[in-house]
């Protein structure tokens, strides 16, 4: 049951990050994105209550923040729905994308997020300086088929036939989903489930 609440906390955090990106884009009058995040926060009271914006590097431009935040949290919705959570991967993508050159900001961010999710960032090794913020490699990047791939014979989009990859398990899985069985365990915070 604790896992479900931790996933919920991470999902709520993802929502906060999306809100921070949106507010920053609205408040930043700099169309080229050269204004730093800290300058934007100083100029707009509505941004001052967003802790993530204060944890990023003081030299990070607003445009860079938007790009790096997107890269950092892109895989979270998919990862949070996995049966087994890859805790290190969730933290690693954020660390690499937003805090590669900002160890203190990373530590401050982790301390704050651990108030809701005690394991977040635990035992995560420091980033190697050769790893650049834009070079985030996720587990999904190495496992997922290219969504634009085309079947060589038909020219139609390749569906990434799961049944072919899973063999006999696919029929049983399909039946359990089609017959009304729950794909994911019930969420404990929903009433009446």
């Amino acid at each position: 049951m604790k896992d479900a609440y931790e996933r919920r906390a991470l999902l709520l955090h993802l929502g906060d990050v999306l809100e921070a990106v949106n507010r920053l884009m609205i408040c930043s009058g700099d169309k080229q994105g050269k204004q730093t995040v800290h300058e934007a926060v100083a100029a707009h009271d509505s941004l001052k209550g967003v802790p993530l914006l204060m944890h990023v590097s003081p030299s990070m431009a607003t445009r860079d923040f938007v790009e790096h935040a997107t890269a950092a949290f892109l895989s979270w919705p998919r990862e949070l729905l996995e049966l087994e959570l890859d805790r290190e991967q969730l933290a690693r993508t954020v660390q690499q994308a937003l805090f590669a050159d900002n160890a203190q900001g990373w530590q401050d961010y982790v301390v704050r997020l651990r108030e809701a999710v005690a394991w977040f960032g635990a035992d995560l090794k420091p980033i190697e300086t050769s790893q650049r913020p834009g070079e985030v490699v996720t587990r999904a990047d190495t496992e997922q088929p290219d969504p634009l791939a085309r079947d060589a014979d038909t020219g139609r989009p390749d569906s990434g036939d799961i049944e072919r990859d899973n063999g006999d398990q696919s029929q049983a899985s399909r039946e359990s989903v089609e017959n009304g069985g729950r794909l994911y365990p019930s969420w404990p915070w929903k009433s009446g489930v």
Side-chain angles (χ1 to χ4, degrees):
M1 171 108 54
K2 185 179 179 185
D3 179 63
Y5 283 106
E6 292 170 340
R7 289 174 190 249
R8 179 180 185 269
L10 291 172
L11 187 59
L12 289 172
H13 178 66
L14 175 60
D16 291 342
V17 170
L18 292 174
E19 182 180 352
V21 167
N22 186 49
R23 285 163 105 184
L24 185 63
M25 289 173 60
I26 291 169
C27 291
S28 178
D30 181 12
K31 298 298 180 198
Q32 279 141 6
K34 293 182 181 179
Q35 180 184 35
T36 69
V37 172
H38 287 222
E39 290 170 346
V41 170
H44 300 280
D45 289 339
S46 66
L47 297 175
K48 290 182 180 168
V50 184
L52 175 62
L53 298 179
M54 294 311 299
H55 297 316
V56 297
S57 172
S59 62
M60 183 176 281
T62 57
R63 168 181 259 152
D64 292 338
F65 175 80
V66 171
E67 289 175 7
H68 293 290
T70 302
F73 295 97
L74 179 67
S75 66
W76 274 39
R78 180 176 46 250
E79 291 287 337
L80 290 171
L81 289 175
E82 288 294 328
L83 203 51
E84 190 165 326
L85 207 54
D86 188 345
R87 296 174 172 185
E88 183 177 341
Q89 181 65 23
L90 285 170
R92 174 71 66 193
T93 58
V94 176
Q95 183 188 40
Q96 288 176 346
L98 284 174
F99 300 99
D101 298 323
N102 183 6
Q104 184 60 50
W106 170 248
Q107 290 174 1
D108 294 342
Y109 172 77
V110 167
V111 166
R112 185 151 181 106
L113 196 51
R114 280 188 181 172
E115 293 171 6
V117 182
W119 52 258
F120 188 85
D123 302 324
L124 197 61
K125 297 173 186 148
I127 281 186
E128 297 176 19
T129 54
S130 63
Q131 183 80 26
R132 292 171 47 209
E135 297 176 350
V136 178
V137 177
T138 65
R139 185 181 73 190
D141 292 336
T142 59
E143 293 180 359
Q144 299 294 325
D146 179 2
L148 301 177
R150 301 259 175 201
D151 184 274
D153 296 328
T154 65
R156 289 183 277 159
D158 187 10
S159 63
D161 193 358
I162 294 171
E163 291 182 24
R164 186 176 14 175
D165 295 339
N166 291 337
D168 296 333
Q169 292 179 335
S170 64
Q171 183 65 27
S173 297
R174 184 178 334 117
E175 287 174 8
S176 69
V177 172
E178 290 175 355
N179 68 16
R182 297 186 69 92
L183 181 60
Y184 297 104
S186 61
W187 298 103
W189 56 85
K190 283 187 165 182
S191 59
V193 176

